[in-house]
Amino acid sequence: MHVRPGRSLAANAAKWMFMPDNDIVLKRIRGFHVGGRRRRITGFDARPRSRVPGDAPVAIDMNGDHMVGQLYAKEYLQSDARFALPVLLWHGGGLSGACWEDTPEGGAGWLDYFLRDGCDVVVSDAFERGRASFPPYPQFLSSPPEHRSLEAVWHHFRFGPGGSYPDPLTPESLRARAYPGQQFPVESLEQFGRQFVPRWAGTDEFALRAYAELLEKIGPCVVIGHSQGGSFALECARRHPDLVRAVVAVEPAAAPAGEPGAGGAPHLFVWGDRIDDNPTWVRYRDAALRYKQRLQAQGVRADWLSLPDHGVGGNSHMLIMDRNNQAIAAMVGGWLRELFP
Amino acid sequence: MHVRPGRSLAANAAKWMFMPDNDIVLKRIRGFHVGGRRRRITGFDARPRSRVPGDAPVAIDMNGDHMVGQLYAKEYLQSDARFALPVLLWHGGGLSGACWEDTPEGGAGWLDYFLRDGCDVVVSDAFERGRASFPPYPQFLSSPPEHRSLEAVWHHFRFGPGGSYPDPLTPESLRARAYPGQQFPVESLEQFGRQFVPRWAGTDEFALRAYAELLEKIGPCVVIGHSQGGSFALECARRHPDLVRAVVAVEPAAAPAGEPGAGGAPHLFVWGDRIDDNPTWVRYRDAALRYKQRLQAQGVRADWLSLPDHGVGGNSHMLIMDRNNQAIAAMVGGWLRELFP
């Protein structure tokens, strides 16, 4: 139990103002791109190709000016917001902002929950993911991206033990091979796999720069980041304490190397189950734990929500879309309501 | 003047129920992926790489099961829809669904207009674009994608005459080099370029298959497609007359090769200005015109809205985000209201 004494996350959850049956009443919905700049990119062959079926092949010259480094954001502005600050949702590696929008079973995602909680919400696609687009390689990025297979996520996202990815793949075999009590809807693994997007390595500074520009555009806010997005959220909270007023890092895959400043925003770390069964996650968790201690040494509030410690078992790395994702959103939302009543 | 006698598009526009100052009241917003299937993809090297800064390099094995062929869709369901059918917005080549969400100047896009008109709206990212993701190449797709430069769109999208892309690029030089009376906000060319996404050639059947699955999921609907999305919309209307109840092709880049059936849904073709200055667009328009005649020979209603014929000049290929994009949406919306009062 790492949560501070006297601060019950279950009690906080009751402060959440989620109204599942109410309409979502917005004064504006807009999508936009922010960050990045114009770069002259050359080194392309001008290969003739047919862009339109039946039309003659045309020489396509890609050498020239390209916009590089931007992210995509979708902003939902409530007609009558019931929370003080916009909530920014930052996805993890190999995914896009779509990960907040529904679950593999077609249920509601955290976007729905925080909208019905009355928050303004901004969902983004980080640099080189989804609608943010990616620059060419090898002309700009040096290497091809990683395309994650279903096998690769099976153990890494803690759906099942190492080596248990089933063959043949059926809903039944997936259920049988998963960890007992698994909260992720493993029989919908294919539907989850439809939302994977390629990712590059070594592009963090691009992503962080675009996120900084997003923060400047939005102003003071709360950032909830998952996995790699949680790492970006921690780093942005460290670099921009004037803009990030609270940060929720859901299973962050890395912690900042730099020192946190005094007077930083409150932090909440959220962890699912079976961390100890997976050495990679033990490493990530321990790095986060050390960073939490450094935050606390600076007098920064840093709370630690390990779900199994609260009797909530079976959560995978994808706890934002696990079957009990609403209950976890309520704990996070309650923590935020306690900070900003 | 190709519009049928007695059917004034200006008069129809007055039927549009766009309410700019009203809130957008939704019972549900959800994003999801549809279409595609699991494919075993091999031929990757397992190169060790560091996925997380400071963490040890890991062997990343991408060989295995991947989902290929899906599209991404975002569905906005009105609490109290004021239009009979959902409106599907399909983007053009080199873009994603973000093209409907705002303008390069930060103004409202057609998503906003049709939501405030009271329609349920579905915005999609086609196969291999944006949040739909793309499969690896050369392991699955045979070639690299096209990354469109700012130069490449300048004349192709009819912002300015051939060879007039300015150097240096400044808001002033862009304005000076554009066609006189240009409705596209050319000084925001960089902002427009931020939303470009790579595109592949030769993948139309993947895109069409996923769109067919989207249509089956949504049911009877109206499809508004721009450019390549307009071509897909025409082809889907031909293949799925039971589902596509009206189709609006905004500057379609191709027309179906196959014969349209009798009893197809009403068609509207929309064209901007300066087509005759650009041989590519003359070819595209003439192909669409021949298809319109084939539709009419089958007794299918097919209307033709060339904006300059209605005294509306200066529109680029990106008329959905030109400065007068609301007036054009009103003409399209009015045409739909006349069909489905």
Side-chain angles (χ1 to χ4, degrees), chain B residues 229-292:
Chain B
S231 317
F232 290 148
L234 294 172
E235 182 63 25
C236 282
R238 195 184 73 80
R239 295 185 186 184
H240 311 285
D242 50 325
L243 294 170
V244 180
R245 298 294 169 86
V247 57
V248 179
V250 180
E251 299 214 343
E259 278 307 310
H267 285 57
L268 175 65
F269 297 83
V270 182
W271 299 93
D273 207 349
R274 305 273 180 187
I275 301 278
D276 290 321
D277 293 359
N278 189 313
T280 302
W281 286 103
V282 168
R283 222 164 51 240
Y284 293 171
R285 181 196 57 191
D286 291 352
L289 190 56
R290 286 192 298 274
Y291 188 68
K292 168 184 175 277

Side-chain angles (χ1 to χ4, degrees), chain A residues 146-149 151-152, chain B residues 41-47 51 58-64 66:
Chain A
E146 176 185 351
H147 292 259
R148 213 174 237 164
S149 69
E151 288 93 322
Chain B
I41 304 181
T42 57
F44 292 102
D45 289 335
R47 288 157 297 108
R51 195 187 276 136
V58 288
I60 292 178
D61 186 357
M62 300 191 246
N63 299 293
H66 296 259

Side-chain angles (χ1 to χ4, degrees), chain A residues 262-292:
Chain A
H267 285 56
L268 175 65
F269 296 83
V270 182
W271 300 93
D273 207 349
R274 304 274 180 187
I275 301 278
D276 290 320
D277 292 359
N278 189 311
T280 303
W281 286 103
V282 168
R283 222 163 52 239
Y284 294 171
R285 181 197 57 191
D286 290 352
L289 190 57
R290 286 191 299 274
Y291 188 68
K292 169 185 174 275

Side-chain angles (χ1 to χ4, degrees), chain B residues 292-312:
Chain B
K292 168 184 175 277
Q293 289 157 350
R294 285 157 58 205
L295 286 163
Q296 290 174 320
Q298 292 283 357
V300 175
R301 175 173 169 179
D303 294 333
W304 190 265
L305 171 56
S306 172
L307 292 166
D309 290 350
H310 291 261
V312 179

